[in-house]
Amino acid sequence: MKVLITGTSRGIGQAAALRFLREGHVVIGLDIAGSTIEDPAYTHLIADISDPASLPAIDGVEILINNAGVQESGRDIDVNLKGTIFVTEKYAFQDAIRAVLFNASASASTGAEFPEYTASKGGVVAYMKNTALRLAKRGAVCNSLSAGGVTTELNAHIMEDPTLWQQVLDETLLGKWASPEEMADFIYFMTVINKSMTGQDLLVDNGEALRSNFIW
């Protein structure tokens, strides 16, 4: 299938692109930065998703994965929410579409992160539901994936600080964070294997939201 993924220069987006390529799909990456992926089935395009005029014409997208995002940038709403809307409205609403996925965040449910980032991701989940309603007539599924901590470059300052790292691990039930590759597996399942779940937000946070100390 023809897969369009935003934010493929690193992290979860890059891992997702490699996962789809391994399965034989044609992948188009859309990012403000370059890419190190070298595969004949991969095309990398430079664009700023927050600028609709910079989005290239791409026909026949079958799977759309909205992954690109920023954190505590001063532009979280513009990129994470408005940019995601621009991408989805341009590429999802056509006859070839089969699945749309939004990378949201656990903070969309818990509120436990930077204010503008949390608001942007909460908006993404609400917009996902709106998109699912409109795509249903095309037979396409549409969901969001809300990750807790993920071992990406963005979180390097935490992972490299033993004190901070132990603190965040103690906040999870399983005592770990997910890897980008594990999140890519969830993305693949939700867009290729899944045919019946739509309009849902899937929380993958190693039990962080459930963490509770019962005192009697």
Side-chain angles (χ1 to χ4, degrees), residues 61-112:
V61 173
E62 295 170 273
I63 296 175
L64 172 61
I65 299 164
N66 284 294
N67 169 75
V70 294
Q71 187 179 65
E72 204 181 15
S73 67
R75 302 183 65 238
D76 291 19
I77 297 292
D78 287 336
V79 176
N80 300 350
L81 182 54
K82 291 183 178 179
T84 292
I85 292 173
F86 294 150
V87 168
T88 305
E89 296 298 324
K90 185 174 181 68
Y91 301 118
F93 293 93
Q94 38 79 28
D95 291 340
I97 198 70
R98 293 293 173 266
V100 175
L101 182 78
F102 297 85
N103 263 353
S105 170
S107 65
S109 299
T110 66

Side-chain angles (χ1 to χ4, degrees), residues 133-165:
L133 287 167
R134 291 185 290 144
L135 284 178
K137 64 183 180 182
R138 300 179 186 273
V141 297
C142 175
N143 298 285
S144 57
L145 180 60
S146 282
V150 182
T151 55
T152 63
E153 295 175 27
L154 184 66
N155 295 314
H157 68 288
I158 294 174
M159 296 185 290
E160 294 169 1
D161 183 317
T163 301
L164 286 177
W165 184 232

Side-chain angles (χ1 to χ4, degrees), residues 139-199:
V141 297
C142 175
N143 298 285
S144 57
L145 180 60
S146 282
V150 182
T151 55
T152 63
E153 295 175 27
L154 184 66
N155 295 314
H157 68 288
I158 294 174
M159 296 185 290
E160 294 169 1
D161 183 317
T163 301
L164 286 177
W165 184 232
Q166 191 57 56
Q167 286 177 348
V168 296
L169 294 185
D170 288 344
E171 287 300 311
T172 71
L173 291 182
L174 299 180
K176 68 180 186 69
W177 275 6
S179 68
E181 291 73 23
E182 183 181 1
M183 300 313 299
D185 287 340
F186 275 106
I187 291 170
Y188 190 84
F189 173 81
M190 294 173 75
T191 56
V192 176
I193 298 172
N194 167 50
K195 298 293 191 298
S196 298
M197 180 177 74
T198 197

